[in-house]
Amino acid sequence: MAKKTITRRTLLKNSAIAAAGGVVYLNFPVKLFGGNTENKTKVILIRDEGVINDSRTIDKTVIRNMLDEAVKELTGYDEIQAAWKSLIKPDDIVGIKTNVWGRLRTPLELEDAIKNRVMEVGVPGDKISIRDRGLLDDPVFTNGTALINVRPMRTHDWSGVGSLIKNYIMFTRKPSSYHRDTCADLATLWNLPEVKGKTRLNILVMLTPLFHGIGPHHYNKKFTWA
């Protein structure tokens, strides 16, 4: 049988069609793909146009309310303490993995709201750490029993986007070792002993445009367009 020659133009055309088809099929039941439907992930989307006020700073009350609404919807509890108690126990050691990248960091107002809710559950302050760098030198993270993973969504030169999977890259002494092959091995970070099975809550922050040449450089400054 003669070989069929595929030109570069045909390859690109077929790839585009396949990508478009993939978007369509994402809306069909998982059973279409023969996947495991037992362990589904629940995703909650919360919007509030008042979270960034007229002075272009984050309204701490609004963002706290957004967090509370999301946690209640996620857990199915109507009362906020009951909702948090279903995620965090008083004897937990809680690491809040934030992201401090200067141009688009995790909002401080959100970090404070998370910590306050965790303390209201009964976790003492010295058993909570909010940190991005130096996790392996922090006893809360190395001995922790629970992780809350929170960061803004942004573009990334190697992985395409910096999201919650990538946020755990600081659990290794050599983060650059996960940058090979466009960060293809990032998900293996979640098997590290400091991480595996400990994540209680993932929070992806999308209050402003992704940063990649355009967009706000920092929440608490005026929007600066590059």
Side-chain angles (χ1 to χ4, degrees), residues 108-148:
L108 295 171
E109 296 84 354
L110 180 56
E111 292 177 0
D112 289 342
I114 295 169
K115 182 177 180 179
N116 288 337
R117 288 307 189 201
V118 171
M119 292 184 70
E120 288 172 6
V121 168
V123 181
D126 62 349
K127 300 295 183 183
I128 304 170
S129 181
I130 304 174
R131 197 159 183 165
D132 182 15
R133 315 290 171 80
L135 305 182
L136 298 179
D137 297 315
D138 186 328
V140 169
F141 280 91
T142 54
N143 301 314
T145 60
L147 290 172
I148 296 175

Side-chain angles (χ1 to χ4, degrees), residues 16-28 33:
I17 293 170
V23 173
V24 173
Y25 278 106
L26 285 175
N27 294 308
F28 280 77
F33 301 96

Side-chain angles (χ1 to χ4, degrees), residues 28-225:
F28 280 77
V30 178
K31 64 182 180 181
L32 244 170
F33 301 96
N36 183 353
T37 61
E38 294 180 2
N39 299 315
K40 293 183 179 180
T41 298
K42 189 173 183 181
V43 178
I44 308 300
L45 175 62
I46 301 295
R47 292 190 177 103
D48 192 319
E49 63 182 4
V51 68
I52 298 180
N53 57 34
D54 292 338
S55 61
R56 295 191 175 100
T57 59
I58 290 180
D59 188 305
K60 62 182 180 180
T61 300
V62 174
I63 202 166
R64 184 196 63 207
N65 291 340
M66 292 172 72
L67 173 67
D68 288 349
E69 185 180 351
V71 170
K72 287 191 290 185
E73 182 66 26
L74 180 69
T75 61
Y77 287 92
D78 294 328
E79 199 277 320
I80 190 59
Q81 276 211 342
W84 275 98
K85 285 180 178 178
S86 71
L87 299 173
I88 303 292
K89 306 304 178 188
D91 58 351
D92 271 324
I93 301 171
V94 183
I96 301 171
K97 174 57 177 74
T98 188
N99 195 282
V100 299
W101 190 68
R103 292 176 175 177
L104 196 59
R105 67 154 293 149
T106 304
L108 295 171
E109 296 84 354
L110 180 56
E111 292 177 0
D112 289 342
I114 295 169
K115 182 177 180 179
N116 288 337
R117 288 307 189 201
V118 171
M119 292 184 70
E120 288 172 6
V121 168
V123 181
D126 62 349
K127 300 295 183 183
I128 304 170
S129 181
I130 304 174
R131 197 159 183 165
D132 182 15
R133 315 290 171 80
L135 305 182
L136 298 179
D137 297 315
D138 186 328
V140 169
F141 280 91
T142 54
N143 301 314
T145 60
L147 290 172
I148 296 175
N149 185 20
V150 53
R151 67 159 297 160
M153 178 81 143
R154 66 175 176 87
T155 51
H156 189 271
D157 287 341
W158 297 307
S159 63
V161 294
S163 61
L164 293 166
I165 292 176
K166 189 178 183 299
N167 204 36
Y168 281 166
I169 201 168
M170 290 301 173
F171 276 102
T172 175
R173 297 284 184 188
K174 295 182 178 179
S176 61
S177 66
Y178 286 84
H179 287 158
R180 293 191 293 266
D181 194 19
T182 61
C183 301
D185 295 329
L186 280 177
T188 61
L189 291 164
W190 290 58
N191 286 324
L192 295 173
E194 296 84 6
V195 174
K196 190 172 183 179
K198 296 180 181 180
T199 302
R200 306 287 177 82
L201 188 62
N202 289 302
I203 304 171
L204 187 60
V205 184
M206 301 184 71
L207 302 184
T208 60
L210 300 181
F211 178 86
H212 195 85
I214 61 171
H217 289 196
H218 198 279
Y219 289 117
N220 295 324
K221 296 179 181 178
K222 290 184 177 180
F223 289 118
T224 303
W225 300 93

